[in-house]
Amino acid sequence: MTRKRLTTSAGAPISNNQKSLTAGKKGPVLLQDYQLIEKLAHQNRERIPERVVHAKGWGAKGTFTVTHDITKYTRAKLFSEVGKQTPLITRFSTVAGELGAADTERDVRGFSVKFYTEEGNWDMVGNNTPVFFIRDGYKFPDFIRTQKRHPKTNLRSPEAMWDFWSQTPEALHQVTILMSDRGIPKTPMHMNGYGSHTFSFWNNDNERFWVKFHFKTQQGHAFYTNEETAHVIGQSREKYQEELYGAIEDGNFPTWKLYVQVMPEKDAEKTPYNPFDVTKVWPHNDYPLIEVGVMELNENPENYFQYIENAAYSPSNVVPGIGFSPDKMLQARIFSYADAHRYRLGTHYEALPANTPKSEVNHYHKDGSMRFFENGNSNPDAYYEPNSFNGPEEDPSVAEPPMEVDGDIRRYEDNDEVGNYQQAGDLFRLFNEDQKKRLFFNIAEAMQGVSEEIVERQLVHFDGADPAYAVGVRAARKALNEDSEEVVA
Ligand code: NDP
């Protein structure tokens, strides 16, 4: 095979890619060696800012296939008929670790799916947990600060984590999941994904429903214990990449079944829990899972950076038939995610290959970094709106039905009848004895070195969920302390 000719980035052929241009055999190097300068300058620019959260990630391309008809709830075209297939790309991630962090650390996992639908991209930007630590985006920067490095020690700080959680009782539900077996899935293939927030569906009759999304792993749940993961990380910091990439290369395509929980719009006024509170689930008995389809991952992208690092998921990417809800945390994310991408990738980040919709894109946003696209509007005179030159125009048929809201504008102290503890307690009571034991020890280990005052404040929350929860954590702490005293003796 004839090899291609090496060129500069401007396409000019390169005669020698081994030696700098020098004045004499011993140097010096000439400033006019623009090929050398281009090479060094490009290397300096190979990194972009890593995500502040969810920096470490793994992903693949795949397909979604509809298996059940949900058109009575939504007009979204991707669900329009059984058998319909939509291409997609996913990104899984840990939340706190930096780009080089070990894959199998205890953390919540991001679970993001970009569906390239015929009416634009729908991004399901979820986690492997159905709830979150806080219910109001106002607290998000503080919460994340406690998960990151201490400004002086530059180390992660269990003191900060438990200080925050112990003063944020709504975190208990998510803390319980994080410290349970599901806190370290064996691979991204062995975990569920959840939209977590409440979203909305609307159908062709303009009826609105509230909806929650659940992706159930078909590989089964599998997890590492703290002890196992210490060993795994000692062997490889890139376990998830190896496993996910390897499975797809071997043709073992992982699948997830997509289910929805659907709540009629008016029910939101009568549930004892606030259905828009992301620290709560909707119990399956109240709103059973409705099967929708299957997601299969079947292709490793040719270039990790281009398709996984540059993929920009945002809950603001919805399509007709899928909308938002009054969930306060969701609304903060609708702003924050798209804003993060504009900062991290550049103004026209949606024009990057991972993000380009497969449907037609017609907008009047103009110039800026990465303006790759042509005028595209058939007529160069149509560069503003409204215009008389046949430019793209709005389509009122895709308008969402109006959403009623009432109430005074203020900063509310909010909670509901269910409170912060009940659902965490429900989960705790689902665990068998071994699962409970591991939960107690995981918490006791995570609390090592934390001030007694903070620990005692947190134990009040465990006790509120279930007295046996607090008793178990106390006993595990005692056992760990005795063990370490024995080691010292
Ligand atoms: P169900 O008995 O119907 O469902 C229990 C759920 O718990 C299942 O979805 C199961 O997931 C999930 N689960 C099992 N182990 C863990 C774990 N370590 N971490 C997180 N989830 C786990 O109960 P309810 O719907 O009445 O809910 C009871 C509690 O279950 C809730 O308070 C909540 O903590 C938890 N839960 C509820 C979900 C919901 O949407 N209703 C979703 C996930 C958790 P799987 O079937 O995949 O094994």
Side-chain angles (χ1 to χ4, degrees):
M1 199 167 68
T2 25
R3 289 173 64 163
K4 288 187 176 161
R5 194 158 68 160
L6 184 70
T7 73
T8 63
S9 53
I14 288 180
S15 64
N16 186 329
N17 194 41
Q18 320 302 324
K19 307 283 183 210
S20 302
L21 194 61
T22 53
K25 202 170 177 186
K26 296 182 182 153
V29 173
L30 298 191
L31 183 61
Q32 78 176 52
D33 190 352
Y34 73 95
Q35 294 171 1
L36 167 71
I37 291 167
E38 178 177 299
K39 203 167 172 178
L40 296 177
H42 264 271
Q43 188 187 23
N44 285 341
R45 288 161 180 77
E46 277 175 9
R47 296 290 172 271
I48 58 174
E50 69 174 41
R51 292 161 167 88
V52 174
V53 283
H54 295 273
K56 182 78 190 276
W58 325 270
K61 297 180 180 180
T63 317
F64 177 73
T65 308
V66 179
T67 54
H68 294 72
D69 182 9
I70 56 161
T71 52
K72 66 179 172 185
Y73 302 121
T74 177
R75 55 172 286 179
K77 289 252 172 85
L78 83 152
F79 301 126
S80 65
E81 57 183 308
V82 170
K84 184 159 186 168
Q85 295 203 311
T86 301
L88 55 84
I89 189 160
T90 56
R91 184 173 183 273
F92 311 106
S93 50
T94 44
V95 180
E98 294 92 356
L99 208 49
D103 293 353
T104 56
E105 288 177 355
R106 182 173 298 281
D107 200 351
V108 170
R109 266 67 182 163
F111 191 111
S112 298
V113 188
K114 187 182 286 296
F115 295 86
Y116 301 104
T117 90
E118 63 198 272
E119 284 194 313
N121 291 348
W122 172 44
D123 291 356
M124 212 285 317
V125 199
N127 280 329
N128 70 329
T129 62
V131 294
F132 196 59
F133 295 96
I134 48 176
R135 61 170 71 96
D136 190 328
Y138 205 92
K139 289 190 175 189
F140 190 73
D142 288 299
F143 164 62
I144 290 302
R145 213 150 279 151
T146 69
Q147 302 296 301
K148 294 279 186 178
R149 293 170 187 276
H150 184 281
K152 184 171 181 193
T153 63
N154 199 32
L155 296 169
R156 303 279 294 278
S157 168
E159 179 91 349
M161 291 179 205
W162 290 105
D163 188 27
F164 183 87
W165 287 334
S166 66
Q167 299 188 70
T168 311
E170 67 268 32
L172 181 67
H173 196 180
Q174 178 79 320
V175 168
T176 304
I177 297 175
L178 174 65
M179 295 296 160
S180 79
D181 292 342
R182 297 214 181 160
I184 317 179
K186 254 191 179 162
T187 81
M189 299 170 283
H190 294 94
M191 64 188 195
N192 287 348
Y194 302 88
S196 304
H197 301 286
T198 297
F199 292 85
S200 53
F201 269 165
W202 82 90
N203 64 17
N204 279 321
D205 297 328
N206 266 355
E207 287 173 292
R208 176 183 285 106
F209 301 87
W210 306 117
V211 61
K212 287 213 182 255
F213 298 101
H214 302 250
F215 288 82
K216 290 230 179 198
T217 172
Q218 300 303 293
Q219 289 65 246
H221 291 281
F223 66 92
Y224 286 127
T225 61
N226 280 356
E227 221 174 10
E228 286 166 345
T229 210
H231 178 73
V232 170
I233 292 173
Q235 303 283 311
S236 168
R237 299 173 63 78
E238 320 296 339
K239 193 72 182 156
Y240 280 21
Q241 183 67 19
E242 290 164 11
E243 295 281 348
L244 179 64
Y245 182 85
I248 293 173
E249 285 302 290
D250 291 347
N252 297 326
F253 301 146
T255 58
W256 285 259
K257 279 192 182 168
L258 173 64
Y259 296 84
V260 288
Q261 285 179 293
V262 175
M263 181 187 287
E265 188 170 9
K266 290 287 172 203
D267 275 21
E269 291 160 20
K270 60 182 200 209
T271 54
Y273 42 89
N274 171 3
F276 310 121
D277 176 349
V278 71
T279 69
K280 311 267 164 62
V281 296
W282 301 351
H284 292 126
N285 267 347
D286 297 358
Y287 297 96
L289 296 178
I290 299 167
E291 197 167 338
V292 183
V294 182
M295 172 170 88
E296 178 186 86
L297 298 188
N298 47 31
E299 187 184 338
N300 283 316
E302 278 302 310
N303 186 293
Y304 174 90
F305 182 85
Q306 188 179 28
Y307 282 98
I308 306 302
E309 187 62 18
N310 273 352
Y313 300 86
S314 171
S316 53
N317 283 346
V318 286
V319 292
I322 303 176
F324 308 127
S325 81
D327 178 335
K328 285 184 279 189
M329 188 69 212
L330 169 63
Q331 289 176 347
R333 294 179 71 213
I334 290 167
F335 156 72
S336 194
Y337 280 55
D339 183 58
H341 302 316
R342 285 183 199 109
Y343 161 69
R344 199 174 66 86
L345 299 171
T347 312
H348 290 290
Y349 68 90
E350 298 280 26
L352 289 168
N355 306 322
T356 326
K358 309 253 184 257
S359 59
E360 220 175 272
V361 176
N362 300 309
H363 57 68
Y364 291 91
H365 307 316
K366 211 169 167 283
D367 302 338
S369 66
M370 290 190 284
R371 202 218 136 107
F372 304 135
F373 43 94
E374 298 300 324
N375 289 332
N377 292 349
S378 65
N379 185 343
D381 292 333
Y383 59 96
Y384 53 88
E385 218 281 330
N387 63 64
S388 316
F389 305 106
N390 208 28
E393 58 184 0
E394 66 212 21
D395 173 6
S397 76
V398 298
E400 186 176 345
M403 190 185 291
E404 229 178 84
V405 289
D406 73 312
D408 304 330
I409 295 178
R410 51 184 281 216
R411 297 182 192 273
Y412 285 88
E413 285 301 324
D414 63 332
N415 209 336
D416 53 30
E417 283 173 46
V418 161
N420 292 321
Y421 297 155
Q422 184 182 310
Q423 293 197 348
D426 292 344
L427 179 64
F428 174 77
R429 287 178 287 274
L430 278 176
F431 295 159
N432 64 30
E433 287 313 305
D434 285 346
Q435 289 170 322
K436 282 182 184 161
K437 204 170 158 200
R438 286 193 294 271
L439 173 76
F440 300 148
F441 274 89
N442 291 340
I443 292 174
E445 284 183 8
M447 279 181 161
Q448 275 176 325
V450 174
S451 309
E452 275 309 305
E453 183 196 340
I454 291 175
V455 170
E456 285 302 323
R457 198 161 55 208
Q458 183 64 38
L459 280 161
V460 173
H461 302 318
F462 296 143
D463 186 62
D466 195 305
Y469 192 167
V471 169
V473 173
R474 272 190 203 280
R477 279 173 50 77
K478 192 158 174 272
L480 271 189
N481 282 342
E482 281 166 2
D483 275 0
S484 53
E485 275 162 24
E486 261 173 45
V487 172
V488 174

